[in-house]
Amino acid sequence: MDDRYAALCFQILLELLHRVPVANMEPGTQCKILICSLRGLHNLLTATKIMPSENLGPLLAGIRVFMFHGLPGAPVAVPESLYPTPLSQYDPSPSSPTKSEPQTNDSSAKSGGVKKYKKKKAKKGAETNRNTTSKSPQEREENENDETEMTRAKAAEAVSSRPNWAKISSSESEYSDTEGGQTSRLRSLHAKVRQCALACLHTTIKSINKRVMFGYWSSFIPDSTAAGNSPQVHTLFTVILKDPSPKCRMGALAALTALIDGTKTLLATADDSDQKFATFVPFSAVLGSTIRELHRCLLLALVSENIPLTLTQLIKCVSTLITNVPYSRMRPGLLSRVVKQIRNFISYRDPNVRVACLTCLGAVAAIQPPLMEVCHIIQSGRPHSQTSVSRDTNPHLSGDSGISSGNQSNCSPNAEAGMMEEVKDIQNSSPGMGSPMGSSSGVQTPVFSDMSLQASAHSVSWLVKLCVRNILPSVGENGEHTEPLPVRLESLQVLAHLGKGYFPIIRNSLPVLQDLILKCYADPDPVIRLHTSKLVDDLTQALQREVQARDATDSSGRLTLQQVTDFWISLLSIAIANILQSEPNCAVKATTCDCASNIGPEVYAALPIDKRVLCITLILGLTSDEDKIVRSSALRTIGVFVLFPCLREDVCFVADAANAILMSMEDTCLNVHFKTAWSLANPCDALVLNKIDGDNDFMNDFSDMLLQKLFSTSIKACQDSDKVKSNAVRALGNILRYLPIRSLGKSSFRTSVEDGVKALIKNISSGTMKVI
């Protein structure tokens, strides 16, 4: 379909949505017209992605009314348009400059329209009474029969809009089977209208720029507790909390999730301070209030929802909210209440709900900057003195580790909730967390410091126990039980988030994680092995930072170099060696190769000689692997290794690394080409460092022929794309700096020096900032 025809269809359906008669039409017919209009708009938005700016306000106005269709107290009149909040910094379409009133005017117009309608009804009733007194008894009887029928019809419509819990049973109903069937059918049509409106809203949100849609938040999300509790204010939470149809609730949650997703930068200015504003309320304070109301309403929905599919969507919505909210600017307590409710569902019978819970917990563990509130949530649900488990008594998964032998959690959902009940809100339970920092605007939730956690991070976190229990098979009365694959993968993802952002909390769980990693690397499922490698990647980066920080700050409570070395020895002995040699899945092999680059110079120097030789031999071999992803990962790892002090002084290894890199510079795969260019500069860095250290033996032994190849390759790479140039000029500069005096006596080197200087001058005059 041409765009002009699609736009014409869109305009016709939009006008029909606004002009469908509310009165003088049979309700079933009206619902069918609305369903077709909303479906047509939804299909057009999905297929064509057309959304003229002048149509956004009218479309949202129609959707906002009909997503409450049939609910008690739902708005009746459709306003001409919705308008963005003035504080959203988005200008409405210039096509309707006279209609720039805020949304509050629309709601008042709607309420005014309803009152006018009621007055007309009342006046009509008075006229009816006057006419009745002047009519004959027979006519009065006929009128009474008509009024009885009208009353029954109105009662049927009222019952159709009543929630499920308020409806009387069929045995108590005054309607006949036929009337009950009509009522049920009308109720179903009302729900279908709401469902189509919410689906159209979801597609509209997906089609519109986040910043533009942000201006309409106040029309769909309450910005204060008073607004959320007011019966006159209808928002998405009206559907989420009160709609009797699970499909409508799920549609509202999907729309809310889309509305929140991708708004992290827009919510970054939120301010949740206790400061009282006398003259005006700044937009940052409105955002803070909106965020708190979002949490409050979603937590209410978690308490009341019992349909697994809707519950899954609800928890996903909570996860999206957690990902986008700047909790460092909010008062403490929001996350604690969320996790308290989520823990009620971590052993839910439906695996989709359990996966959603783990996604939500992973979102909490991924919050940056790391917050003290999150640290207390991760560490324990009870006072530390009650949950302390020493590593000597619990080195692996036994006893009090929380890893049960059956296929269920040691704690039922109720027991898990009971553990959380023992911990009050962070403001009350944690020393120094009773109030925000200085009770002023700005950073509200304190960011943790490693020193403050040393006294409390002695036990294995309940979250680590939960994830390990989900990942590993367990043996019970009915034999071995393994959780569904999505549950296992999400548990590995949660552990990866913990290792990346909150390693001090799980530092003493390293033996448990080491045992888990070794078992997962032996798992027959390649997806498990891949996610295990991702966990190892994040965990080993944290271990590398741990080793590097020992000399910079107080090392009390940190892992020793020997502990980290032992961890690497256990991995290199079997798991990593087997994967790098015989793993059929290329993604697993490439990710494991990236893990090897996280060893760090201190740990590598402390490894036994056989493990060091094994490591560099396997990685050098993978630089010529058939798979391009494996080659690029191996080349990057070689580029890291060549700067280790114990390896950069080894002439043989530097020569082998340089030859492997030079062979890959002609690779046709762009990813391999870029990674090789980065690695090319690192051997040249190593040459300069050796010269600075005065290592004359190295300079005398390093081949002039290989140096000439590095020189010419770097000059050629300076004419490549910017990503390659930025590393090529670094390599070229280092080579010029390293050149021994004996090499300058050779004509080939003198020519290369001239060409190299010309290449540098050319890039200085025309290159990007990174190249210069």
Side-chain angles (χ1 to χ4, degrees):
M1 182 185 291
D2 289 341
D3 287 347
R4 55 175 179 164
Y5 296 125
L8 181 61
C9 291
F10 187 93
Q11 196 64 40
I12 292 172
L13 292 171
L14 184 58
E15 291 180 5
L16 186 61
L17 194 66
H18 277 255
R19 296 180 181 178
V20 62
V22 177
N24 304 324
M25 179 179 283
E26 196 271 324
T29 304
Q30 178 193 356
C31 289
K32 290 176 182 177
I33 292 174
L34 291 173
I35 289 169
C36 292
S37 301
L38 290 165
R39 277 184 172 174
L41 291 167
H42 174 263
N43 291 336
L44 282 170
L45 288 171
T46 302
T48 64
K49 305 294 183 185
I50 58 168
M51 175 52 71
S53 58
E54 65 271 12
N55 287 335
L56 179 58
L59 176 63
L60 292 176
I63 289 174
R64 189 182 182 278
V65 169
F66 293 116
M67 72 185 194
F68 309 115
H69 190 68
L71 293 179
V76 177
V78 181
E80 290 188 14
S81 180
L82 291 185
Y83 300 96
T85 306
L87 290 172
S88 67
Q89 299 179 354
Y90 168 69
D91 295 329
S93 171
S95 61
S96 54
T98 61
K99 301 173 184 176
S100 59
E101 301 174 10
Q103 172 59 22
T104 53
N105 293 345
D106 294 331
S107 61
S108 63
K110 280 182 270 184
S111 62
V114 174
K115 288 179 181 178
K116 189 175 180 180
Y117 177 74
K118 288 182 177 178
K119 287 179 181 178
K120 288 181 179 179
K121 286 285 186 181
K123 192 179 293 184
K124 185 177 179 181
E127 291 175 359
T128 304
N129 290 336
R130 287 196 297 271
N131 293 336
T132 302
T133 57
S134 64
K135 290 181 180 179
S136 64
Q138 184 176 1
E139 290 174 335
R140 285 200 300 269
E141 184 178 354
E142 290 176 357
N143 286 337
E144 288 174 1
N145 291 336
D146 292 339
E147 289 175 3
T148 303
E149 291 298 326
M150 290 175 61
T151 305
R152 285 182 178 177
K154 290 179 181 178
E157 187 175 354
V159 170
S160 70
S161 62
R162 199 176 299 166
N164 282 339
W165 52 266
K167 293 171 191 165
I168 56 178
S169 64
S170 58
S171 61
E172 298 170 331
S173 174
E174 65 183 47
Y175 300 107
S176 65
D177 292 340
T178 303
E179 290 171 336
Q182 291 175 351
T183 302
S184 177
R185 189 158 47 250
L186 184 59
R187 185 165 59 243
S188 176
L189 285 172
H190 283 163
K192 196 68 176 176
V193 171
R194 299 196 299 273
Q195 191 178 342
C196 290
L198 290 164
C200 191
L201 176 61
H202 181 263
T203 306
T204 303
I205 294 169
K206 289 285 189 180
S207 305
I208 297 299
N209 181 277
K210 293 294 181 182
R211 188 171 294 277
V212 174
M213 198 66 208
F214 191 61
Y216 295 90
W217 268 37
S218 60
S219 300
F220 298 95
I221 298 176
D223 58 6
S224 67
T225 304
N229 290 334
S230 175
Q232 287 81 24
V233 178
H234 287 76
T235 66
L236 281 170
F237 285 112
T238 306
V239 181
I240 293 170
L241 295 172
K242 298 179 181 179
D243 199 303
S245 168
K247 289 184 178 180
C248 290
R249 297 198 300 273
M250 191 157 59
L253 286 165
L256 180 60
T257 304
L259 201 61
I260 298 170
D261 189 28
T263 58
K264 189 171 185 177
T265 55
L266 300 175
L267 296 176
T269 58
D271 186 2
D272 191 36
S273 64
D274 285 328
Q275 185 177 352
K276 303 299 182 183
F277 302 98
T279 55
F280 75 98
V281 179
F283 189 54
S284 59
V286 174
L287 279 182
S289 177
T290 301
I291 289 171
R292 295 194 72 85
E293 184 62 11
L294 280 168
H295 283 79
R296 188 186 72 85
C297 293
L298 287 174
L299 289 177
L300 284 175
L302 278 173
V303 172
S304 59
E305 188 57 64
N306 56 6
I307 305 297
L309 278 176
T310 311
L311 185 60
T312 302
Q313 184 64 53
L314 173 58
I315 298 174
K316 287 180 180 179
C317 184
V318 175
S319 303
T320 304
L321 179 63
I322 292 172
T323 303
N324 289 276
V325 168
Y327 286 99
S328 59
R329 297 180 62 87
M330 304 294 292
R331 281 174 287 175
L334 290 177
L335 289 169
S336 299
R337 287 190 284 274
V338 169
V339 174
K340 176 180 177 180
Q341 291 297 333
I342 292 298
R343 287 188 68 167
N344 292 328
F345 303 101
I346 55 178
S347 298
Y348 199 82
R349 63 184 181 276
D350 191 320
N352 293 316
V353 176
R354 299 203 299 276
V355 170
C357 288
L358 290 166
T359 303
C360 188
L361 294 172
V364 173
I367 290 176
Q368 293 294 323
L371 305 178
M372 276 301 299
E373 181 177 0
V374 178
C375 294
H376 285 280
I377 289 171
I378 295 170
Q379 176 54 33
S380 177
R382 291 177 290 181
H384 301 296
S385 59
Q386 297 179 19
T387 57
S388 180
V389 181
S390 68
R391 291 173 51 201
D392 295 332
T393 59
N394 180 30
H396 299 293
L397 308 179
S398 62
D400 192 35
S401 67
I403 310 303
S404 64
S405 58
N407 59 5
Q408 297 294 330
S409 167
N410 285 346
C411 299
S412 64
N414 291 334
E416 292 281 356
M419 290 172 62
M420 286 302 293
E421 286 288 351
E422 296 181 21
V423 178
K424 306 299 181 184
D425 289 337
I426 292 298
Q427 301 98 313
N428 301 325
S429 62
S430 303
M433 296 287 290
S435 60
M437 288 184 175
S439 297
S440 61
S441 61
V443 176
Q444 298 295 321
T445 301
V447 177
F448 88 83
S449 62
D450 195 22
M451 290 291 296
S452 63
L453 297 173
Q454 303 308 325
S456 60
H458 294 305
S459 61
V460 177
S461 165
W462 66 272
L463 190 51
V464 172
K465 296 176 186 178
L466 170 67
C467 293
V468 174
R469 183 174 65 240
N470 287 338
I471 296 166
L472 295 180
S474 57
V475 180
E477 296 178 357
N478 300 324
E480 188 175 79
H481 170 78
T482 304
E483 288 285 350
L485 182 61
V487 176
R488 302 177 70 197
L489 296 181
E490 204 62 46
S491 298
L492 284 167
Q493 186 66 40
V494 172
L495 291 176
H497 285 311
L498 289 175
K500 188 174 185 178
Y502 292 88
F503 181 74
I505 300 297
I506 64 168
R507 177 184 288 136
N508 290 306
S509 303
L510 190 62
V512 175
L513 296 176
Q514 176 182 318
D515 185 63
L516 170 71
I517 290 167
L518 293 175
K519 290 179 179 178
C520 287
Y521 267 140
D523 195 282
D525 194 326
V527 182
I528 292 292
R529 298 197 299 273
L530 176 61
H531 279 71
T532 303
S533 288
K534 292 179 179 179
L535 166 61
V536 173
D537 191 15
D538 287 326
L539 190 62
T540 50
Q541 288 183 46
L543 289 173
Q544 187 177 1
R545 292 192 297 269
E546 185 90 348
V547 172
Q548 292 172 348
R550 288 189 59 82
D551 298 331
T553 60
D554 184 12
S555 62
S556 60
R558 294 185 183 275
L559 296 174
T560 64
L561 177 61
Q562 188 58 49
Q563 286 176 305
V564 179
T565 304
D566 291 342
F567 175 83
W568 271 108
I569 291 173
S570 68
L571 294 186
L572 290 170
S573 298
I574 301 175
I576 290 182
N578 289 342
I579 286 178
L580 295 182
Q581 291 182 89
S582 57
E583 172 61 48
N585 188 287
C586 295
V588 176
K589 188 183 291 186
T591 310
T592 307
C593 193
D594 289 333
C595 296
S597 66
N598 299 329
I599 292 178
E602 298 89 355
V603 175
Y604 186 86
L607 288 174
I609 187 63
D610 60 323
K611 297 294 183 293
R612 292 162 61 178
V613 172
L614 173 68
C615 199
I616 60 175
T617 302
L618 292 176
I619 300 299
L620 280 170
L622 292 176
T623 57
S624 57
D625 193 90
E626 294 179 356
D627 185 79
K628 57 185 179 182
I629 302 176
V630 176
R631 290 200 306 274
S632 63
S633 296
L635 287 163
R636 175 187 171 276
T637 303
I638 286 297
V640 173
F641 279 3
V642 79
L643 291 178
F644 289 177
C646 61
L647 286 176
R648 76 163 190 251
E649 298 169 358
D650 186 338
V651 177
C652 293
F653 175 74
V654 174
D656 290 341
N659 281 316
I661 291 168
L662 289 171
M663 287 178 60
S664 300
M665 278 300 292
E666 302 300 326
D667 202 298
T668 56
C669 175
L670 289 178
N671 190 43
V672 176
H673 193 54
F674 295 153
K675 290 284 182 70
T676 306
W678 178 84
S679 299
L680 173 67
N682 283 16
C684 302
D685 287 346
L687 296 178
V688 173
L689 290 172
N690 286 328
K691 182 177 182 179
I692 293 173
D693 291 342
D695 193 344
N696 295 323
D697 292 338
F698 179 93
M699 297 182 68
N700 292 331
D701 294 340
F702 194 76
S703 169
D704 280 353
M705 183 181 296
L706 181 56
L707 183 61
Q708 181 65 58
K709 289 182 180 179
L710 288 172
F711 213 159
S712 57
T713 302
S714 299
I715 294 171
K716 183 180 179 181
C718 285
Q719 303 170 8
D720 212 313
S721 63
D722 282 350
K723 285 187 177 180
V724 175
K725 283 181 183 178
S726 60
N727 292 294
V729 294
R730 178 164 66 97
L732 187 56
N734 282 327
I735 292 173
L736 289 171
R737 186 179 178 187
Y738 168 79
L739 276 177
I741 295 176
R742 70 172 189 277
S743 301
L744 293 175
K746 300 179 180 178
S747 59
S748 59
F749 274 100
R750 288 198 298 271
T751 304
S752 296
V753 168
E754 293 175 0
D755 293 340
V757 171
K758 291 178 182 177
L760 289 176
I761 293 173
K762 182 179 179 180
N763 279 282
I764 289 173
S765 59
S766 61
T768 61
M769 181 62 70
K770 191 171 183 180
V771 173
I772 295 173

